[in-house]
Amino acid sequence: DVYIDQIMLPQLKDLVNTYKPSYIFADGDNDYNSSIWRSKEFLHWLYTESPVKDFVVVDDRWGKDTKRRHGGVHTMEYSSTVSLHHKWEMLRGLDVFSFGLNRNSKADNYTSTKSLVHSLVRTVANGGNFLLNVGPASDGTIPVIQQERLLEIGDWLRVNGEAIYNSRKWYVQGEIGNKIFYTKNPASGNVYAIFTEWPANDTLQLSYVHPSPITQFWFIGLGDEQHPTPLPFTYQPTSGTAVGIPRVNPTRPPCRFAWTLRITGLAFFVDTVPLHQYYNSVDRHDNVLCGTDECRESVDLLYGDSPFGIAVQGYSGRRVEALAFGAPMDGLIPLLLYHSADQKDYALVTNSTAKLLDSSFRFVHIEGYVHP
């Protein structure tokens, strides 16, 4: 109580009043509940009386009972966990064992630049912020091995930064296998496919990308001199888009560790086939688009006798996909594709569009359009 009353709370308020932070990252809370730390008392002052009450953001570390339950930003530390439905950030140090400088650390205690870039890409693709801790020496200098990591990450961002800065998560965060990740720039509308492993046969398979007649693919970092035209691609409804990746001069690669395609002019795939012809089973890796007679007969009609509704099918070990029929658009019915957030077994269900918007399902894209 003495520490909290006479040191912690007065110092927290002094920091806020003096420096007016936009973000407060609380930590060291694991031993006690928030009631012991009197977190509610401080947060009430912070958001009602403090000079930053209108804009400050806080994390979720205000007691061992608050992590990933409260706070404006959920925090994941040295973790593969993501939070698609809440603001979150991944935090880690360059040293796998220490946030601060540990003079006993060996070279292999420091995470490789390749792993750091891949972690950055995965975090951003899932809508998170990437917090990378640097441990300076007592004189304020940054050890050379840490400088090297930061400079190499900076080199990668210098080429691929448009896929990271000011980006948002796309409808789908990545392909199966965690080798291809997606981001989107809401200002330009461009979608980015970031691949962390060079594809076999120089062909990148993007199963969730449905090109429009004006879609183009560009390899970021290859200037007009090296590749003056958009990349070639083919499209199949059952497997998505296959993009030809140019062979790169090994002495002059655009970057290391991961590479990015800029996808411009991407619109939803449009097909105006009759409704009864649309229903057929489509297997895309772990996703099964319902097309069985049983599924068709179980469609929940949401609008009387009109052919709107939802059919969901689940198979063992596979992610569930759901097809919903939306309101008519220009005389056509949009097919709205959803999939489950987790790979689980689901029995055949029928439900309303609202049900698909809960935490179990998320919207992917408009699969196409059909005639009524």
Side-chain angles (χ1 to χ4, degrees), residues 275 278-279 296 299-303 306-311 323-328 333-336 338 353 356 370:
L275 183 61
Y278 183 83
Y279 275 106
R296 206 180 327 163
V299 169
D300 178 21
L301 298 182
L302 305 179
Y303 303 97
S306 60
F308 302 106
I310 294 164
L323 186 65
F325 301 93
I333 301 173
L335 305 177
L336 311 178
Y338 296 78
T353 302
L356 291 178
V370 296

Side-chain angles (χ1 to χ4, degrees), residues 64-126:
K64 64 181 183 180
D65 57 327
T66 65
K67 190 170 292 185
R68 299 180 194 171
R69 297 180 59 196
H70 302 288
V73 178
H74 288 177
T75 57
M76 318 296 177
E77 185 172 327
Y78 287 100
S79 171
S80 60
T81 304
V82 301
S83 178
L84 291 174
H85 305 291
H86 193 89
K87 298 293 184 183
W88 71 283
E89 71 178 359
M90 173 65 64
L91 58 139
R92 55 158 304 137
L94 287 168
D95 188 326
V96 296
F97 298 115
S98 176
F99 276 91
L101 176 63
N102 183 348
R103 296 189 182 278
N104 294 318
S105 289
K106 307 300 182 184
D108 58 3
N109 290 152
Y110 286 90
T111 308
S112 69
T113 307
K114 178 180 179 180
S115 294
L116 291 169
V117 167
H118 290 184
S119 183
L120 166 66
V121 169
R122 180 179 177 276
T123 298
V124 174
N126 283 279

Side-chain angles (χ1 to χ4, degrees), residues 6 15 38 60 98 114 124 144 213 220 233 236 258 290 357:
Q6 299 181 19
L15 285 170
R38 292 165 56 186
D60 56 351
S98 176
K114 178 180 179 180
V124 174
V144 172
I220 293 180
F233 68 90
Q236 294 292 332
C290 173
L357 299 180

Side-chain angles (χ1 to χ4, degrees), residues 144-157:
V144 172
I145 192 170
Q146 297 188 33
Q147 292 184 42
E148 180 186 52
R149 298 295 193 270
L150 296 176
L151 290 169
E152 289 179 339
I153 295 173
D155 289 340
W156 187 85
L157 285 169

